[in-house]
């Protein structure tokens, strides 16, 4: 037999009386989760963050919403903010949209960039170890043309079609395993190493052991720049 307790709280505001009912289920002891925002609400935020709205933004928002849904994360920027690490595989418009939906940022060490040139992202729930990779289907572009031949502009076709397409027509989904060493987690506190050549500090175990010396990656030959 189930019993439920109903508490009635009287709230006074502007000389009016309001009743707020709170149900506490003794059997389940459940809490109501904060729901994710709607597609339109996220698109408004993505446009503001990115500077304009485009097909890539629509794709990125839907991709991230699907990834979070698969993991059962419904409040990524609130109570679930420490559960999520996201890997993005391209530095285009969609990535900004993924960051808006997930709340993951490079500065928080929760957004990881892998330069693979693919419209894809992997979402990792660090509390459970579950991870799902979502990738946009190439066939979605042709499908967008079929869905909206009345629109001449390709971006307009895709923006509208990407809102409407079923998830199975827009994305592929893979359950994957992502092995994260301790230094990849947000909040990692590790030893700071000083490069023996340039004297610059190195964080998060990014040093290179070369010929008995501890070097930064630039001094070890991985420099992406040249001094002038």
């Amino acid at each position: 037999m189930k019993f439920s307790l109903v508490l009635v709280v009287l709230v006074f505001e502007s000389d009016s009386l309001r009743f707020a009912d709170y149900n506490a289920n003794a059997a389940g002891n459940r809490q109501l989760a904060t729901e994710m925002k709607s597609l339109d609400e996220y698109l408004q935020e993505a446009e503001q963050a990115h500077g304009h709205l485009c097909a890539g933004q629509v794709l990125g928002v839907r991709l991230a919403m699907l990834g979070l849904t698969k993991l059962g994360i419904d409040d990524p920027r609130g109570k679930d903010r420490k559960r999520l690490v996201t890997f993005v595989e391209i530095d285009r418009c969609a990535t900004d949209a993924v960051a808006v939906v997930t709340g993951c940022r490079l500065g928080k060490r929760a957004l990881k960039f892998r330069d693979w040139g693919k419209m894809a992202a992997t979402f990792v729930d660090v509390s459970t170890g579950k991870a799902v990779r979502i990738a946009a289907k190439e066939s979605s572009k042709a499908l967008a043309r079929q869905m909206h031949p009345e629109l001449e502009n390709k971006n307009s076709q895709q923006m509208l079609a990407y809102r409407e397409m079923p998830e199975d027509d827009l994305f592929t989904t893979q359950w994957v395993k992502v092995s994260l060493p301790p230094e990849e987690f947000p909040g990692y506190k590790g030893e700071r190493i000083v490069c023996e050549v340039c004297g610059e500090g190195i964080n998060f175990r990014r040093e290179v052991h070369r010929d008995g010396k501890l070097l930064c990656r630039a001094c070890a030959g991985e420099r992406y720049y040249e001094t002038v």
Side-chain angles (χ1 to χ4, degrees):
M1 180 180 296
K2 293 184 178 179
F3 297 90
S4 62
L5 174 66
V6 179
L7 305 180
V8 180
V9 180
L10 306 184
V11 183
F12 292 88
E13 181 175 305
S14 303
D15 297 323
S16 64
L17 185 64
R18 299 187 305 164
F19 291 86
D21 293 337
Y22 295 85
N23 281 330
N25 189 310
N29 193 24
R30 297 172 302 186
Q31 292 181 340
L32 292 177
T34 303
E35 294 182 355
M36 287 198 299
K37 296 184 179 182
S38 68
L39 174 62
D40 286 335
E41 288 173 321
Y42 278 133
L43 288 176
Q44 288 178 354
E45 292 187 14
E47 181 179 11
Q48 203 169 31
H50 187 65
H52 69 271
L53 190 61
C54 61
Q57 293 281 291
V58 180
L59 205 59
V61 166
R62 288 202 61 189
L63 187 149
M65 292 179 72
L66 177 58
L68 295 178
T69 299
K70 292 291 185 182
L71 290 177
I73 293 177
D74 52 32
D75 191 12
R77 301 188 302 188
K79 65 179 177 64
D80 296 327
R81 66 188 181 278
K82 294 184 178 181
R83 284 177 58 185
L84 187 65
V85 170
T86 302
F87 289 78
V88 291
E89 299 180 17
I90 196 167
D91 52 352
R92 293 294 304 274
C93 306
T95 294
D96 282 349
V98 169
V100 165
V101 176
T102 62
C104 293
R105 300 286 188 274
L106 281 171
K108 294 180 180 179
R109 309 201 69 234
L111 185 66
K112 311 292 186 181
F113 175 51
R114 298 294 184 264
D115 194 6
W116 288 10
K118 291 186 175 184
M119 190 67 74
T122 297
F123 305 89
V124 184
D125 184 344
V126 297
S127 69
T128 64
K130 293 175 62 178
V132 61
R133 182 177 181 270
I134 313 291
K137 289 185 175 180
E138 276 300 302
S139 56
S140 63
K141 295 179 180 179
L143 183 56
R145 291 193 296 270
Q146 295 173 19
M147 291 175 65
H148 291 288
E150 75 281 5
L151 300 176
E152 295 183 2
N153 183 273
K154 180 178 70 173
N155 186 61
S156 298
Q157 286 178 338
Q158 293 174 358
M159 282 183 65
L160 186 55
Y162 291 167
R163 285 171 171 262
E164 301 168 342
M165 281 185 200
E167 291 169 351
D168 289 343
D169 289 336
L170 198 53
F171 302 114
T172 60
T173 302
Q174 298 172 295
W175 288 102
V176 298
K177 181 179 179 181
V178 178
S179 298
L180 288 175
E183 63 268 21
E184 290 295 336
F185 282 95
Y188 173 77
K189 304 292 184 184
E191 184 182 5
R192 183 178 174 86
I193 304 297
V194 176
C195 176
E196 295 184 35
V197 174
C198 68
E200 295 177 357
I202 311 161
N203 297 296
F204 310 126
R205 297 182 180 175
R206 294 326 195 244
E207 69 273 10
V208 177
H209 296 260
R210 181 73 53 80
D211 298 328
K213 294 183 178 181
L214 290 175
L215 307 177
C216 68
R217 292 187 174 185
C219 292
E222 299 179 32
R223 186 177 288 127
Y224 66 89
Y225 59 88
E226 294 182 6
T227 56
V228 295

